[in-house]
Every structure is written in structure tokens, then in C-alpha cells.
Amino acid sequence: MTISFSRPSRIDALTTAVRGSVITPGDTRYETAAAAWNLAWTHRPAAVVVPADEDDVVVTLAYARQLGLSVAVQTTGHGVVVPADEQSILMVMSAFDGVRIDPAARTATMGGGVTWRPVLAAAQEHGLAPLLGSAPHVGAVGYTVGGGTGWLARHYGLAVDSVRSLRVVLADGRVVVATAESSPELFWGLCGAGGGTLGVIVEMTVALAPVDEVYAGNLFYPVDAALDVFDRFRTRTADAPTELTSAFNITAFPPLDIVPEPLRGQTFAIFRGCHSGDLAEGKAMVDEWRRWRSPLLDTFGVLPFARCAEISQDPVDPLPAATSGRWLHEAGTNVGEAMIDAVVGDQPPSPVLFAELRHAGGAISTPNPHVSFDARTGAYVLELVGLIMSPEADVELEQRFGHTWERLAENLATLPGYLNFTEGQERHALARHAFAAGTRDRLARLKQDVDPSGIFRHGIGL
Ligand SMILES: Cc1cc2nc3c(=O)[nH]c(=O)nc-3n(C[C@H](O)[C@H](O)[C@H](O)COP(=O)(O)OP(=O)(O)OC[C@H]3O[C@@H](n4cnc5c(N)ncnc54)[C@H](O)[C@@H]3O)c2cc1C
């Protein structure tokens, strides 16, 4: 396809050339079209393009090349890295919303703009499950190519290891179907370098796990008992079966209407998890916790995996938030103390909403030479999440995050960077600590090969 765009009529020409929408500043739809789920980020692109199909993606890239614009790709805006500016186009993938399940092959094929929600619903009709994270409203592609650790991770692995093929439009307009066998280098790079860096993924096929019901939920304990709950969690994880993926969490639920009443405005130490093996074994493990100490609130029980969002109950509506996360090689009592201090200690109220230490290991650590995702040997992953309700909260959050990581320097894994649990400049920069030196060099060569002029400059730094 050869298209020529000249500067004077450039937007008109693009509007005529694509079947989807082209929305520019001044258009009443612009603010909504350019919005990210995370309200802390603002895109200000020269145009928002909502491609209707793969040809539209090819045409938009040709346009960007000719006019020297960069292209930022967005499914939901949960994980903005470098926001789109006036020298860029924001490509919103919402029209790529198809989902097909192949029950015999146990795979799901989905468009590059779907969230996990419809994939989970369709897969569950066949007793199958994708390796989604805690929130089904997160984009499937962005989550997966950044690693993807969810409630089935210790049992079935990271989402990035479940990828079977990626259909991608490269900066020069070529459409490539990358698998571990065909275009293995591109497949390797895409599976780990995160989205928005090497190309536009228009379709992804992943393997599904045979999961229909799980034993899952939360035990809420008083915040005063946080260190005891933490100590029990870390000692119990030492010999936990891989069927159990669990976490210690301390949350200061804000006094907002979106928080259900028994939790609103309260702070709890929480043991949460999902047992995806024998349900009776899962219950027996949680019964031991119940016998150890009666929780204030107990939501554990048999859960159809279709309802797995109930485990974490992440907020669904857009919010101004910040996230920072690292892999830890071990979790001594100092980790529990740092988590408590981040959320409730030192001069409260803290803008840190929660700190969650997820047990890793199991299938997460299985090496996979077909993907570039490297940071998988940590025994735990710690995530800090805060709400940015004011500019002061933003500064304070950054300080608390930084202070926590300094305090935990001894606990950090060899490769501490977990790109999915960071955003913005931090995700961009943390790439240095998410890959081994050899992987980084190989990714940099691949980037030079497939995107020499840096059209995709809104992902991580390679
Ligand atoms: C409430 C919540 C819960 C979460 N839970 C987990 C969890 O349990 N485990 C976990 O690992 N992570 C989790 N995350 C992090 C999440 O996986 C990352 O933020 C991820 O990057 C979000 O992807 P997205 O497509 O929704 O966001 P976006 O901001 O739209 O995209 C993220 C990145 O992927 C790129 N991208 C998106 N679509 C495409 C595409 N089709 N082609 C090429 N590039 C693309 C974007 O350019 C961007 O660089 C959570 C995030 C939130 C907000």
C-alpha cells in the first residue's frame, strides 16, 4: 500500500485514508478519546487514531513515518510509560476486540485491544482460564508482554510464557505473525520488552489453563496484628504448594463511596490467595489460618474462577494512581516493617493505599528461552500503590516509594525490576534492572533492527 501525505492537508489526508476515527485537538471527542484509565497521566497527541482494522494501523504508521511523528499505543491506559505529546499519534486499540476460544487446543485468540474480561468469560464457558492478573479490566496484551503475574502464576506460570503467537505491525508497515518457531527473535523480544516498544500487536494467541473453580478469598485482620500476620505469611510460604498463590497485603481503604461499607475508611492486614488445585486442600490450608487467629472478616470459599476479580477487588473506574514494584529474593521481618511504615507508619496519613507482597516462585521461575522476560527468580514481588489526590500527595508518594526501596536494598532480587508494577519514567528507567546485560543488548539490537527511527518511543527504554 503506497500512500502519500503532505503537510498542509495532513490530518485530512489521514482521516480520508483510514476507516476508523481520527480525532484532533479542538474536537469535542478529543479529551475522552485521549484519556488514560490512570488519571495521573495526560496524553496530548497531535491526533488520536482509533484504527478500525489492521490496514488502518499500516496507514497510520506510514503517515507517522512520513511526518516524523511517533506512535503511542494504548488499550486501557493502565500502564502509561511515556505519554503521547504533540509530536505523536495516540493509537487507541479499542476496535480490536475479538475473542475466539479453541477448547480442543486450549487456546484463546484475541484482538490487540481487549481487556481480560471477555477472554475470561469466554474461556470459563469451557472450564478454561487465561493467566490474567488481579483485575480483569486490564488490557490483555499490555499485561502479558510485560510478564503478567496473577492468581494462577505459581501453578501455571506467567502470562508471557503462555503466549503462542503475536500478530504485529512493525514500524515499516510489515505485518508479521511471530511465534517461537517463525520470527523467533521478534517473538522473543515482544514477550518481555512490554508493549509499545517494538510494534503494534493486533492479535495474540495464548494457552489456557484447565481451571474452573478455585478456593480463594481474603482473611482480614486488625492492622495491629499486621506484623504477626506477615510473619505467619512468610513462614507458611516457605513450603506452600505451587497450587497456592497467596499474598500479604496491608490496605488503608479510603473513605470513598467506591469502597464497600465494612472496609471504607479502615486499615487491615490481609492474607489473600487462590488455591487452584484440590479444593479441599485449599480449604484445609485456610482453616489452619482460621484456627491460628479468627479474622475480622473472612471471604475465602469456593469461587468460580470467572469471579476472580473478587479476590483483590481492584478499583474498576479510572483513578489518579501510582504504582511501584520490585522482585525480592527473600522477605525478612524488615519487609513487613517497611510495608507497615509505608501505609500507616511515619507521619500518617500516607498517600500509599496498599502494599502487597505476593508469593512468587513455582512455575513463575521456570526458565523460558523463547521469551526475553528475565526477572523471574525472585521469591516474592512487592507492590506499592498510592492515590494521587493532590500535587503534595504525588511528591510524598515518590518519597515513600523511594525510601521503601532504599530500606529494602538488601532484599532486592538480582533483577528487581518488574515492569508491570511501575509506570511512567520509572518503568522506562527500570528496564535497566529488569533484564540481564546480554538480554538488554540483544533487545537493543532488535529495536535498532525493527524500529531504527524510534517511531515507538513511548514504551520502555531499550
Ligand atoms: C488495577 C490494576 C491491577 C493490576 N494487576 C496486575 C497484576 O495482577 N499482575 C500484573 O502483572 N500486572 C498488573 N497490573 C499492571 C498491568 O499489567 C500493566 O499496567 C499493563 O501495562 C497494563 O496494560 P494495559 O494494556 O491495560 O495498559 P496500557 O497503558 O494501554 O498499555 C500498557 C503498555 O502496553 C502497550 N500496549 C497496549 N496495548 C498494546 C498493543 N495492542 N500493541 C502494542 N503495545 C500495546 C502500551 O503502549 C503501553 O506501553 C495491574 C494494573 C492495574 C491498574
Side-chain angles (χ1 to χ4, degrees):
M1 194 177 326
T2 310
I3 304 152
S4 186
F5 297 103
S6 61
R7 272 203 180 257
S9 59
R10 56 189 194 171
I11 291 298
D12 289 350
L14 182 62
T15 307
T16 313
V18 298
R19 287 204 310 118
S21 317
V22 178
I23 303 160
T24 50
D27 187 316
T28 50
R29 299 168 298 167
Y30 181 80
E31 294 299 329
T32 306
W37 180 90
N38 187 341
L39 301 176
W41 299 102
T42 308
H43 294 294
R44 283 277 162 256
V48 180
V49 177
V50 187
D53 52 26
E54 188 175 282
D55 285 348
D56 278 2
V57 175
V58 174
V59 170
T60 307
L61 288 171
Y63 173 84
R65 279 196 311 277
Q66 284 184 32
L67 298 181
L69 299 171
S70 61
V71 175
V73 189
Q74 177 163 296
T75 291
T76 66
H78 278 96
V80 177
V81 187
V82 180
D85 57 24
E86 52 286 351
Q87 293 306 312
S88 52
I89 290 171
L90 178 65
M91 192 181 280
V92 173
M93 299 299 288
S94 49
F96 292 80
D97 59 356
V99 176
R100 293 192 309 279
I101 306 294
D102 181 338
R106 287 188 177 172
T107 57
T109 298
M110 64 209 77
V114 290
T115 66
W116 280 121
R117 215 177 336 224
V119 186
L120 175 66
Q124 282 285 278
E125 285 176 22
H126 305 279
L128 298 169
L131 302 180
L132 79 168
S134 58
H137 57 282
V138 163
V141 163
Y143 163 91
T144 299
V145 296
T149 178
W151 289 119
L152 301 175
R154 281 176 40 80
H155 194 176
Y156 293 104
L158 295 169
V160 73
D161 297 323
S162 73
V163 181
R164 293 295 169 262
S165 72
L166 293 165
R167 187 177 175 94
V168 57
V169 185
L170 298 175
D172 62 7
R174 271 179 304 147
V175 179
V176 179
V177 178
T179 70
E181 291 76 36
S182 68
S183 303
E185 190 66 5
L186 181 61
F187 180 82
W188 172 87
L190 287 164
C191 293
T197 303
L198 296 169
V200 182
I201 296 166
V202 290
E203 192 174 86
M204 172 173 84
T205 298
V206 298
L208 299 169
V211 177
D212 50 5
E213 283 186 325
V214 291
Y215 196 79
N218 295 256
L219 301 178
F220 291 77
Y221 290 98
V223 65
D224 298 349
L227 214 45
D228 290 347
V229 178
F230 173 81
D231 273 337
R232 182 175 169 81
F233 167 74
R234 79 189 175 95
T235 47
R236 302 297 300 170
T237 48
D239 57 0
T242 52
E243 287 85 353
L244 177 68
T245 300
S246 62
F248 166 77
N249 175 301
I250 173 159
T251 298
F253 290 95
L256 300 175
D257 291 349
I258 54 166
V259 179
E261 188 40 81
L263 308 178
R264 196 178 299 162
Q266 308 289 325
T267 303
F268 296 95
I270 303 163
F271 167 69
R272 63 171 46 140
C274 172
H275 191 288
S276 47
D278 181 76
L279 296 176
E281 280 174 25
K283 178 175 181 305
M285 271 173 220
V286 178
D287 282 344
E288 285 178 26
W289 275 84
R290 292 172 173 131
R291 280 194 294 274
W292 169 70
R293 204 172 279 193
S294 276
L296 297 172
L297 189 62
D298 180 351
T299 66
F300 263 103
V302 175
L303 189 74
F305 195 70
R307 288 170 41 200
C308 63
E310 292 173 25
I311 303 172
S312 295
Q313 299 202 38
D314 285 327
V316 175
D317 293 332
L319 282 172
T323 306
S324 189
R326 301 286 188 276
W327 296 101
L328 307 183
H329 70 82
E330 58 96 35
T333 305
N334 68 318
V335 174
E337 288 166 349
M339 291 172 71
I340 294 165
D341 282 349
V343 181
V344 289
D346 306 342
Q347 299 167 348
S350 166
V352 179
L353 185 65
F354 72 77
E356 178 160 296
L357 185 69
R358 294 191 189 178
H359 187 205
I364 296 173
S365 342
T366 309
N368 180 356
H370 301 297
V371 305
S372 53
F373 187 89
D374 262 352
R376 58 170 78 234
T377 57
Y380 300 90
V381 61
L382 174 59
E383 184 189 20
L384 306 171
V385 174
L387 283 182
I388 309 176
M389 303 312 275
S390 67
E392 296 76 36
D394 196 7
V395 174
E396 165 105 27
L397 262 180
E398 207 167 302
Q399 282 170 356
R400 288 205 184 221
F401 288 171
H403 178 61
T404 306
W405 301 131
E406 272 167 34
R407 248 177 103 162
L408 299 181
E410 300 280 297
N411 302 82
L412 297 181
T414 319
L415 291 175
Y418 184 43
L419 301 179
N420 270 6
F421 283 170
T422 51
E423 63 236 355
Q425 188 50 37
E426 193 188 6
R427 189 187 288 192
H428 194 72
L430 202 62
R432 285 197 304 282
H433 306 286
F435 303 101
T439 308
R440 250 184 355 252
D441 293 348
R442 193 172 150 193
L443 281 172
R445 285 196 297 276
L446 178 63
K447 172 79 177 167
Q448 191 53 33
D449 212 27
V450 298
D451 184 20
S453 58
I455 282 194
F456 299 112
R457 66 167 174 82
H458 299 269
I460 60 164
L462 289 179

XYZ file of all heavy atoms in Angstrom, residues 138-197:
421
model
N -7.886 -4.964 33.008
C -6.568 -4.580 32.472
C -6.446 -5.154 31.050
O -6.998 -6.208 30.744
C -5.453 -5.108 33.414
C -4.098 -5.119 32.738
C -5.411 -4.271 34.690
N -5.708 -4.454 30.180
C -5.533 -4.911 28.800
C -4.746 -6.217 28.730
O -3.714 -6.365 29.395
N -5.246 -7.158 27.908
C -4.626 -8.485 27.853
C -3.208 -8.412 27.271
O -2.279 -9.020 27.812
C -5.500 -9.425 27.038
N -3.034 -7.660 26.184
C -1.721 -7.616 25.533
C -0.689 -6.895 26.394
O 0.404 -7.405 26.642
C -1.838 -6.947 24.139
C -0.476 -6.505 23.619
C -2.473 -7.905 23.150
N -1.023 -5.695 26.878
C -0.067 -4.908 27.677
C 0.381 -5.683 28.898
O 1.581 -5.736 29.228
N -0.568 -6.308 29.587
C -0.275 -7.103 30.782
C 0.645 -8.275 30.428
O 1.640 -8.538 31.112
C -1.605 -7.601 31.361
C -1.520 -8.743 32.342
C -1.409 -8.495 33.703
C -1.581 -10.070 31.909
C -1.343 -9.542 34.618
C -1.517 -11.120 32.812
C -1.400 -10.856 34.160
O -1.334 -11.893 35.065
N 0.310 -8.961 29.351
C 1.017 -10.201 29.015
C 2.456 -9.945 28.578
O 3.384 -10.616 29.050
C 0.246 -10.948 27.906
O -1.053 -11.262 28.408
C 0.957 -12.226 27.487
N 2.659 -8.977 27.696
C 4.024 -8.794 27.190
C 4.944 -8.144 28.222
O 6.164 -8.123 28.054
C 4.060 -8.031 25.841
C 3.356 -8.835 24.761
C 3.469 -6.641 25.961
N 4.347 -7.645 29.321
C 5.172 -7.132 30.426
C 5.457 -8.193 31.475
O 6.049 -7.900 32.511
N 5.028 -9.420 31.271
C 5.252 -10.523 32.219
C 3.929 -11.156 32.612
O 3.584 -12.228 32.169
N 3.173 -10.465 33.448
C 1.830 -10.931 33.793
C 1.807 -11.958 34.891
O 1.836 -13.168 34.632
N 1.775 -11.476 36.156
C 1.701 -12.422 37.260
C 0.360 -12.272 37.973
O 0.032 -11.189 38.459
C 2.911 -12.273 38.223
O 2.754 -13.181 39.300
C 3.090 -10.868 38.784
N -0.414 -13.350 37.981
C -1.757 -13.303 38.557
C -1.982 -14.411 39.574
O -1.022 -15.009 40.071
N -3.235 -14.692 39.865
C -3.574 -15.640 40.932
C -3.339 -17.100 40.550
O -3.514 -17.984 41.381
C -5.014 -15.416 41.398
C -5.150 -14.134 42.172
C -5.932 -13.070 41.859
C -4.458 -13.791 43.387
N -5.759 -12.077 42.804
C -4.873 -12.487 43.745
C -3.520 -14.445 44.197
C -4.388 -11.836 44.881
C -3.036 -13.795 45.330
C -3.470 -12.510 45.663
N -2.978 -17.364 39.300
C -2.654 -18.749 38.906
C -1.154 -18.899 38.647
O -0.696 -19.938 38.173
C -3.429 -19.123 37.633
C -4.955 -19.033 37.725
C -5.586 -19.321 36.365
C -5.488 -20.024 38.771
N -0.373 -17.847 38.976
C 1.010 -17.779 38.494
C 1.915 -18.875 39.039
O 2.706 -19.459 38.305
C 1.600 -16.407 38.801
N 1.821 -19.180 40.337
C 2.734 -20.201 40.867
C 2.385 -21.582 40.308
O 3.247 -22.442 40.150
C 2.676 -20.204 42.406
C 3.487 -19.086 43.022
C 3.349 -19.042 44.518
N 3.323 -20.330 45.170
C 4.403 -21.079 45.461
N 5.600 -20.643 45.154
N 4.265 -22.246 46.060
N 1.121 -21.781 39.974
C 0.683 -23.079 39.459
C 0.946 -23.199 37.945
O 1.487 -24.193 37.479
C -0.821 -23.233 39.752
C -1.342 -24.626 39.588
N -2.636 -24.986 39.870
C -0.751 -25.772 39.166
C -2.816 -26.262 39.643
N -1.684 -26.772 39.209
N 0.558 -22.157 37.187
C 0.614 -22.268 35.723
C 1.601 -21.310 35.055
O 1.757 -21.335 33.841
C -0.790 -22.055 35.136
C -1.744 -23.175 35.508
C -2.710 -22.985 36.497
C -1.651 -24.431 34.902
C -3.571 -24.005 36.860
C -2.512 -25.463 35.255
C -3.470 -25.242 36.245
O -4.314 -26.264 36.597
N 2.248 -20.444 35.823
C 3.298 -19.587 35.256
C 2.826 -18.175 34.930
O 1.689 -17.776 35.187
N 3.760 -17.429 34.354
C 3.486 -16.055 33.944
C 2.709 -16.066 32.625
O 2.895 -16.959 31.792
C 4.806 -15.303 33.728
C 5.690 -15.091 34.954
C 7.060 -14.582 34.527
C 5.027 -14.121 35.933
N 1.903 -15.012 32.422
C 1.152 -14.923 31.166
C 2.084 -14.904 29.962
O 1.783 -15.474 28.919
C 0.276 -13.674 31.184
N 3.251 -14.270 30.119
C 4.164 -14.154 28.970
C 4.609 -15.533 28.484
O 4.898 -15.722 27.297
C 5.372 -13.246 29.336
C 6.354 -13.934 30.276
C 6.087 -12.731 28.104
N 4.637 -16.506 29.386
C 5.025 -17.861 28.997
C 3.879 -18.615 28.320
O 4.088 -19.709 27.787
C 5.514 -18.648 30.221
C 6.766 -18.024 30.823
O 7.610 -17.543 30.045
O 6.880 -18.015 32.066
N 2.673 -18.048 28.378
C 1.521 -18.727 27.764
C 1.297 -18.251 26.326
O 0.416 -18.768 25.640
C 0.250 -18.476 28.590
O -0.211 -17.146 28.419
N 2.113 -17.276 25.868
C 1.874 -16.730 24.518
C 2.264 -17.768 23.461
O 3.343 -18.363 23.527
C 2.676 -15.424 24.290
C 2.393 -14.860 22.895
C 2.338 -14.383 25.351
N 1.374 -17.970 22.496
C 1.664 -18.893 21.392
C 1.984 -18.122 20.110
O 2.823 -18.527 19.335
C 0.471 -19.842 21.158
C 0.234 -20.803 22.312
C 1.431 -21.775 22.473
N 1.375 -22.539 23.712
C 2.031 -22.232 24.834
N 2.827 -21.173 24.871
N 1.930 -22.983 25.903
N 1.290 -17.005 19.871
C 1.640 -16.203 18.695
C 1.187 -14.759 18.872
O 0.245 -14.477 19.632
C 1.035 -16.789 17.415
O -0.348 -16.567 17.398
N 1.900 -13.882 18.169
C 1.581 -12.453 18.192
C 1.573 -11.970 16.748
O 2.548 -12.183 16.018
C 2.645 -11.684 18.986
C 2.705 -11.980 20.490
C 4.000 -11.446 21.091
C 1.498 -11.396 21.215
N 0.472 -11.357 16.365
C 0.417 -10.743 15.033
C 0.718 -9.265 15.236
O 0.022 -8.581 15.991
C -0.971 -10.945 14.423
C -1.085 -10.491 12.987
C -2.467 -10.802 12.430
N -2.607 -10.263 11.100
C -2.371 -10.947 9.982
N -2.038 -12.213 10.046
N -2.494 -10.369 8.796
N 1.763 -8.787 14.585
C 2.255 -7.448 14.916
C 2.501 -6.634 13.640
O 2.941 -7.184 12.623
C 3.531 -7.556 15.796
C 4.616 -8.366 15.126
C 4.065 -6.209 16.203
N 2.170 -5.352 13.703
C 2.501 -4.440 12.606
C 3.751 -3.681 13.031
O 3.765 -3.013 14.070
C 1.350 -3.448 12.312
C 1.696 -2.612 11.076
C 0.031 -4.175 12.100
N 4.808 -3.809 12.239
C 6.086 -3.178 12.574
C 6.118 -1.732 12.071
O 5.256 -1.312 11.287
C 7.241 -3.987 11.974
C 7.357 -5.425 12.515
C 8.455 -6.189 11.786
C 7.614 -5.412 14.018
N 7.134 -0.990 12.509
C 7.233 0.432 12.181
C 7.208 0.683 10.677
O 6.666 1.681 10.206
C 8.513 1.002 12.794
N 7.779 -0.252 9.890
C 7.815 -0.044 8.429
C 6.544 -0.530 7.745
O 6.456 -0.552 6.523
C 9.051 -0.731 7.825
C 9.046 -2.245 8.034
O 8.017 -2.776 8.530
O 10.054 -2.899 7.707
N 5.560 -0.955 8.528
C 4.275 -1.362 7.950
C 4.157 -2.847 7.666
O 3.083 -3.326 7.286
N 5.253 -3.589 7.864
C 5.176 -5.030 7.641
C 4.299 -5.686 8.697
O 4.382 -5.324 9.872
C 6.559 -5.678 7.726
C 7.308 -5.732 6.418
C 8.663 -6.377 6.627
N 9.453 -5.707 7.639
C 10.310 -6.321 8.452
N 10.472 -7.640 8.382
N 11.009 -5.640 9.344
N 3.507 -6.675 8.272
C 2.694 -7.428 9.229
C 3.349 -8.795 9.396
O 3.577 -9.510 8.417
C 1.247 -7.596 8.722
C 0.426 -8.414 9.720
C 0.601 -6.229 8.494
N 3.677 -9.136 10.638
C 4.396 -10.384 10.902
C 3.625 -11.181 11.956
O 3.149 -10.621 12.939
C 5.822 -10.090 11.450
C 6.579 -11.380 11.744
C 6.601 -9.214 10.489
N 3.496 -12.495 11.708
C 2.962 -13.356 12.764
C 4.170 -14.011 13.422
O 4.876 -14.808 12.808
C 2.001 -14.418 12.206
C 1.513 -15.335 13.329
C 0.810 -13.751 11.529
N 4.423 -13.608 14.650
C 5.615 -14.100 15.346
C 5.247 -15.221 16.306
O 4.314 -15.090 17.104
C 6.275 -12.948 16.107
N 5.958 -16.340 16.178
C 5.821 -17.449 17.131
C 7.242 -17.837 17.549
O 8.222 -17.299 17.024
C 5.136 -18.680 16.500
O 6.045 -19.254 15.547
C 3.824 -18.318 15.803
N 7.334 -18.809 18.447
C 8.671 -19.252 18.858
C 9.407 -19.908 17.697
O 10.629 -20.007 17.697
C 8.555 -20.202 20.046
N 8.642 -20.357 16.666
C 9.268 -21.032 15.521
C 9.458 -20.097 14.329
O 10.487 -20.135 13.656
C 8.412 -22.234 15.061
C 8.382 -23.402 16.037
C 7.487 -23.147 17.238
O 6.432 -22.500 17.047
O 7.835 -23.552 18.364
N 8.441 -19.243 14.062
C 8.579 -18.322 12.927
C 8.828 -16.926 13.502
O 8.114 -16.508 14.419
C 7.309 -18.316 12.069
O 6.254 -17.748 12.776
N 9.794 -16.230 12.985
C 10.227 -14.930 13.551
C 10.517 -15.062 15.042
O 9.979 -14.298 15.867
C 9.167 -13.847 13.332
O 8.879 -13.702 11.984
N 11.357 -16.041 15.432
C 11.593 -16.276 16.859
C 12.236 -15.100 17.584
O 11.974 -14.875 18.758
C 12.509 -17.511 16.887
C 13.106 -17.607 15.529
C 12.120 -16.989 14.590
N 13.075 -14.312 16.855
C 13.738 -13.195 17.537
C 12.727 -12.102 17.903
O 12.763 -11.548 19.013
C 14.842 -12.626 16.629
C 15.770 -11.635 17.297
C 16.642 -12.262 18.402
O 16.599 -13.492 18.603
O 17.349 -11.479 19.069
N 11.808 -11.828 16.975
C 10.782 -10.823 17.239
C 9.861 -11.314 18.364
O 9.509 -10.549 19.276
C 9.986 -10.551 15.954
C 8.893 -9.503 16.053
C 9.459 -8.142 16.436
C 8.133 -9.395 14.717
N 9.486 -12.592 18.292
C 8.632 -13.175 19.339
C 9.316 -13.044 20.696
O 8.718 -12.592 21.678
C 8.379 -14.656 19.013
C 7.508 -15.366 20.012
C 6.121 -15.262 19.949
C 8.070 -16.152 21.020
C 5.312 -15.925 20.880
C 7.272 -16.811 21.945
C 5.890 -16.696 21.875
N 10.596 -13.407 20.719
C 11.379 -13.328 21.958
C 11.363 -11.909 22.508
O 11.148 -11.682 23.694
C 12.808 -13.788 21.636
C 13.797 -13.601 22.732
C 14.072 -14.458 23.745
C 14.670 -12.462 22.918
N 15.040 -13.934 24.564
C 15.425 -12.711 24.080
C 14.878 -11.280 22.221
C 16.382 -11.807 24.563
C 15.819 -10.374 22.694
C 16.561 -10.640 23.854
N 11.600 -10.931 21.630
C 11.674 -9.540 22.083
C 10.337 -9.015 22.584
O 10.253 -8.396 23.648
N 9.299 -9.290 21.808
C 7.970 -8.787 22.199
C 7.545 -9.359 23.553
O 6.907 -8.674 24.355
C 6.927 -9.182 21.136
C 6.996 -8.424 19.805
C 6.193 -9.163 18.737
C 6.452 -6.999 19.969
N 7.893 -10.628 23.797
C 7.476 -11.289 25.045
C 8.433 -10.922 26.178
O 9.298 -11.714 26.556
C 7.434 -12.803 24.859
S 6.160 -13.328 23.738
N 8.311 -9.734 26.681
C 9.160 -9.321 27.793
C 9.470 -7.841 27.749
O 9.543 -7.191 28.788
N 9.656 -7.309 26.533
C 10.011 -5.887 26.429
C 8.804 -4.998 26.681
O 8.922 -3.778 26.700
C 10.597 -5.593 25.059
N 7.642 -5.608 26.883
C 6.454 -4.804 27.143
C 5.901 -4.242 25.845
O 6.544 -4.298 24.790
N 4.688 -3.690 25.937
C 4.047 -3.174 24.728
C 4.594 -1.818 24.346
O 5.367 -1.197 25.079
N 4.207 -1.390 23.140
C 4.505 -0.023 22.719
C 5.946 0.238 22.362
O 6.325 1.388 22.123
N 6.776 -0.803 22.290
C 8.207 -0.604 22.086
C 8.691 -1.122 20.732
O 9.559 -0.522 20.105
C 8.989 -1.327 23.211
O 8.524 -0.814 24.449
C 10.475 -1.095 23.121
